[in-house]
């Protein structure tokens, strides 16, 4: 009956230590603890025997290299598209009038830059001592809604706390509801 040796570093059998992340430490442990087993697995003769068994034809090597090159180029193209999308996207800070004097400030487009919207909404709510939440706008995008007119301050906080958002990509918009014609004519008649 044979006993199975398990590595004291990665807890795998020594034959499989070469596949673990701590291969060098495993090899040192095996050399100190089981020198005969280390010689069987890591001697020059054992390594050359393993290499002789794992030869690839030139054709397979060329295919693998081409496959790897294609994967690398695809990844680079994907990264370039993401960067281009990130630089083209805008963060819009919109001041919206709810009632006559009540306003809310909405922030859209932060998620493109990797900003956690819930965490940022909570930061705004704590900083301004008001309500702040994440909701969907009519276009289906997530937006941060902060109760109150804080557009300038929010701009400063975003630039300060989120350096991944370029300040050139931040846009301030003021949405003011136009008064109804009946209300506007009544107000001008009262003024006269």
């Amino acid at each position: 009956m044979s006993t199975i040796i398990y590595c004291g570093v990665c807890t795998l059998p020594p034959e499989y230590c070469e596949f673990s992340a701590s291969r060098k430490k495993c090899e040192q442990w095996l050399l100190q603890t089981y020198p005969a087993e280390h010689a069987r697995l890591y001697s020059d003769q054992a390594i050359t025997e393993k290499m002789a068994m794992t030869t690839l034809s030139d054709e397979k090597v060329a295919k693998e290299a081409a496959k790897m090159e294609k994967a690398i180029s695809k990844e680079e193209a994907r990264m370039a598209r993401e960067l281009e999308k990130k630089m083209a996207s805008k963060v819009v800070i919109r001041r919206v009038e709810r009632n006559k004097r009540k306003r809310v400030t909405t922030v859209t487009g932060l998620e493109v830059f990797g900003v956690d919207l819930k965490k940022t909404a909570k930061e705004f709510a704590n900083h301004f001592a008001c309500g702040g939440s994440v909701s969907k706008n009519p276009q289906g995008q997530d937006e941060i809604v902060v109760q109150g007119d804080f557009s300038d301050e929010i701009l400063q906080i975003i630039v300060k706390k989120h350096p991944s958002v370029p300040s050139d990509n931040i846009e301030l918009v003021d949405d003011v509801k136009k008064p109804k014609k009946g209300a506007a004519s009544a107000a001008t008649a009262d003024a006269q």
Side-chain angles (χ1 to χ4, degrees):
M1 186 165 129
S2 65
T3 59
I4 299 175
I5 301 171
Y6 290 101
C7 177
V9 177
C10 69
T11 68
L12 293 173
E15 292 85 7
Y16 296 102
C17 285
E18 65 186 87
F19 302 112
S20 75
S22 56
R23 189 182 70 81
K24 293 281 185 191
K25 289 181 183 177
C26 293
E27 188 177 339
Q28 291 172 354
W29 176 86
L30 190 64
L31 179 63
Q32 292 171 356
T33 314
Y34 297 100
E37 190 69 18
H38 180 270
R40 184 179 73 84
L41 293 172
Y42 294 106
S43 67
D44 291 336
Q45 181 184 357
I47 291 174
T48 54
E49 286 175 7
K50 285 181 186 177
M51 292 298 288
M53 291 177 15
T54 59
T55 58
L56 295 174
S57 67
D58 292 337
E59 204 173 282
K60 285 184 180 180
V61 171
K63 280 184 181 179
E64 285 296 319
K67 193 176 184 181
M68 187 62 93
E69 188 67 34
K70 186 176 179 182
I72 290 171
S73 66
K74 275 187 176 181
E75 182 66 22
E76 287 174 352
R78 185 186 64 80
M79 296 286 282
R81 280 193 310 271
E82 280 184 11
L83 183 64
E84 186 177 314
K85 181 181 177 185
K86 190 182 273 191
M87 289 302 130
S89 63
K90 295 272 187 197
V91 173
V92 179
I93 301 172
R94 181 172 278 122
R95 188 180 325 159
V96 181
E97 186 176 315
R98 282 190 326 148
N99 293 334
K100 292 183 182 181
R101 291 187 193 149
K102 304 284 183 184
R103 292 180 185 258
V104 293
T105 306
T106 63
V107 183
T108 56
L110 279 176
E111 68 276 354
V112 175
F113 296 98
V115 176
D116 183 12
L117 295 182
K118 287 187 177 188
K119 184 178 173 185
T120 306
K122 188 170 183 171
E123 285 175 6
F124 290 157
N126 289 338
H127 187 269
F128 299 120
C130 66
S133 63
V134 177
S135 63
K136 292 235 184 249
N137 63 10
Q139 290 82 22
Q141 297 175 322
D142 284 335
E143 68 180 2
I144 297 175
V145 179
V146 180
Q147 295 176 359
D149 183 6
F150 300 110
S151 56
D152 297 328
E153 293 91 344
I154 286 177
L155 172 66
Q156 293 170 356
I157 290 173
I158 289 173
V159 169
K160 182 178 167 186
K161 289 195 175 185
H162 302 288
S164 64
V165 180
S167 58
D168 298 339
N169 291 19
I170 301 175
E171 194 176 300
L172 288 173
V173 177
D174 196 5
D175 281 355
V176 179
K177 290 182 181 176
K178 295 177 183 167
K180 296 177 183 172
K181 290 190 177 192
S185 61
T188 56
D190 289 341
Q192 295 174 352

